DNA sequence: ATTTAGTTTAACTATTTGGTTAACAAATTT
DNA sequence: AAATTTGTTAACCAAATAGTTAAACTAAAT
């Protein structure tokens, strides 16, 4: 087996493809641009990943497998609902700072092709709400938390965490903030969101 | 001046373009597909709207001018913050049922080209938070509402309302619901969201 | 009825783009 | 070191695509 530049090249390609796909989407991305970005010939893209579709799926799966563990954390650990919420919002914000394009990329491409999810849902490591649901029900019965369905609460948590990054340009305009001020808002949200959610659901 | 089919054709084109652009995005849309959808020849698209870009902008501006009034309603009317929140969530959900593709379309295309907003912000009818901010501050001073910045509250309201429609495929998978069950969740949110937000901010 | 302005089409063009080929280069095996 | 396998490139190809052209058609105005 040869390598020398082998693994290195594959990594370069994936990194370049990630950059291009995540900023332009599947339809907007050009194989030539990815090749240029990776500093190689276009034919080499097809040597490593047969087609644009396959290269795209490699990038997409990479992105998704970074996001999934974040969700499993909140759904499957043993701490209280309140602590889960605090941990999740805190973890998620720092995750996003490292990978700012991921949420929008995933959401956009899943809207373009919802079938991606069919395969993924069969993977046993795909996040599910079962445990979260039971735990929430127990805390509601114990009077710690006001009645709310696990689905609604989960959607709310995701919405409050993810949306500000997905809709950044729009929200920047509406709140009339520049990049710096908007990032400051995002930092503040790490605590704000958690308190907001806890207030909303905690029995008083 | 002649018309006969004039306005009619232009309307047909815009309707067809809306359909194609909103489901495939600027890059994924094809002029031929829009022409077919409108039941006309491709050259006619260029006769009415010189280029793909111009046709796209017409569709985009149409979509945006449907969304903007929704926001101005909550930001500039005179009722209490609580009532504004209830009215907005109620209005927004029924708006979305009529125009399900709009939020995702706008968000996606603004991420692709944030410069769109520069022109729009100059329009005096572009929504802004000034009035909402003052009103909120007053209610906080009066002890009706717990301290929160207008920007954060606004982002939270938008997030809770818009995100479930933008991220529908992803959330459908995570909550393990089919289309029917997910739509039921969305109906329930009309009341759920409002209560959730009020609980979170109302002083007790 | 003829002119005129607006509307519509089929056919065409130039360019872009994903993908292929064939030849070359470098490393591994024998 | 000869043969084989793996990695890389330039040149090429066919399909797709945005946009153009020139001619035909329609209906109102003169």
């Amino acid at each position: 087996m040869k390598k020398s530049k082998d693994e290195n090249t594959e990594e370069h390609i994936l990194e370049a493809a990630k950059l291009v796909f995540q900023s332009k989407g599947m339809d907007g991305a050009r194989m030539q641009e990815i090749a240029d970005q990776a500093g190689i010939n276009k034919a080499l893209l097809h040597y490593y990943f047969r087609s644009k579709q396959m290269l795209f799926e490699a990038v997409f799966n990479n992105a998704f497998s970074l996001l999934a563990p974040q969700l499993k954390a909140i759904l499957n650990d043993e701490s209280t609902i309140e602590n889960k919420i605090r941990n999740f919002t805190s973890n998620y914000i720092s995750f996003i700072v490292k990978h700012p394009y991921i949420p929008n990329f995933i959401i956009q491409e899943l809207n373009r092709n919802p079938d991606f999810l069919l395969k993924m849902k069969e993977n046993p490591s795909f996040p599910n709400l079962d445990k979260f649901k039971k735990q929430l029900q127990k805390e509601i019965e114990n009077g710690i938390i006001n009645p709310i369905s696990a689905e609604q609460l989960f959607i709310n948590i995701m919405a409050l965490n993810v949306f500000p990054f997905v809709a950044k340009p729009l929200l920047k305009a509406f709140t009339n903030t520049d990049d710096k001020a908007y990032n400051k808002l995002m930092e503040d949200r790490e605590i704000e969101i958690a308190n907001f959610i806890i207030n909303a659901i905690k029995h008083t």
Side-chain angles (χ1 to χ4, degrees), chain A:
Chain A
M1 232 178 278
K2 302 292 176 23
K3 13 198 78 168
S4 64
K5 296 174 191 166
D6 178 13
E7 298 176 58
N8 220 315
T9 306
E10 188 163 334
E11 268 311 305
H12 281 351
I13 293 177
L14 276 171
E15 187 57 31
K18 187 185 96 184
L19 231 68
V20 176
F21 276 132
Q22 289 189 2
S23 68
K24 310 218 169 166
M26 169 66 171
D27 292 326
R30 296 290 161 251
M31 293 297 267
Q32 186 60 58
E33 188 178 353
I34 296 172
D36 293 348
Q37 182 73 39
I40 55 158
N41 188 286
K42 186 165 63 88
L44 205 50
L45 293 181
H46 291 90
Y47 177 76
Y48 279 94
F49 304 83
R50 285 188 66 84
S51 66
K52 187 186 185 186
Q53 180 64 25
M54 280 170 161
L55 176 55
F56 174 80
E57 285 180 19
V59 170
F60 185 86
N61 290 333
N62 269 344
F64 198 81
S65 65
L66 284 174
L67 189 69
Q70 301 286 322
L71 294 173
K72 293 178 76 176
I74 188 180
L75 295 173
N76 292 326
D77 83 352
E78 292 296 341
S79 66
T80 63
I81 298 280
E82 173 166 353
N83 276 334
K84 277 184 176 176
I85 291 167
R86 294 198 187 279
N87 287 338
F88 179 74
T89 59
S90 160
N91 287 347
Y92 187 80
I93 305 269
S94 40
F95 168 74
I96 273 306
V97 170
K98 275 190 218 134
H99 310 280
Y101 283 100
I102 282 189
N104 194 56
F105 175 63
I106 290 179
I107 286 170
Q108 177 52 26
E109 297 303 328
L110 284 183
N111 272 309
R112 218 180 47 88
N113 185 3
D115 293 342
F116 273 157
L117 282 167
L118 296 181
K119 294 174 229 155
M120 290 181 186
K121 279 187 75 171
E122 282 160 21
N123 188 324
S125 80
F126 191 85
N128 83 73
L129 295 184
D130 293 344
K131 189 166 180 182
F132 180 70
K133 204 179 250 175
K134 278 181 201 147
Q135 194 184 0
L136 180 64
Q137 215 141 30
K138 202 174 287 178
E139 293 201 21
I140 290 172
E141 279 166 21
N142 291 343
I144 300 168
I145 282 177
N146 288 326
I148 185 172
S149 88
E151 287 81 6
Q152 298 285 6
L153 178 55
F154 175 73
I155 291 175
N156 292 351
I157 295 170
M158 293 290 287
L160 290 167
N161 276 286
V162 180
F163 186 74
F165 296 99
V166 171
K168 180 173 171 180
L170 191 64
L171 293 174
K172 255 180 68 179
F174 286 151
T175 57
N176 202 29
T177 48
D178 59 15
D179 243 322
K180 201 184 156 193
Y182 193 78
N183 289 341
K184 177 67 167 59
L185 277 179
M186 292 305 107
E187 281 174 38
D188 295 344
R189 283 182 79 76
E190 190 170 324
I191 308 147
E192 288 266 0
I193 295 177
N195 287 337
F196 189 88
I197 301 173
I198 309 289
N199 269 345
I201 62 173
K202 203 158 190 186
H203 189 68
T204 49

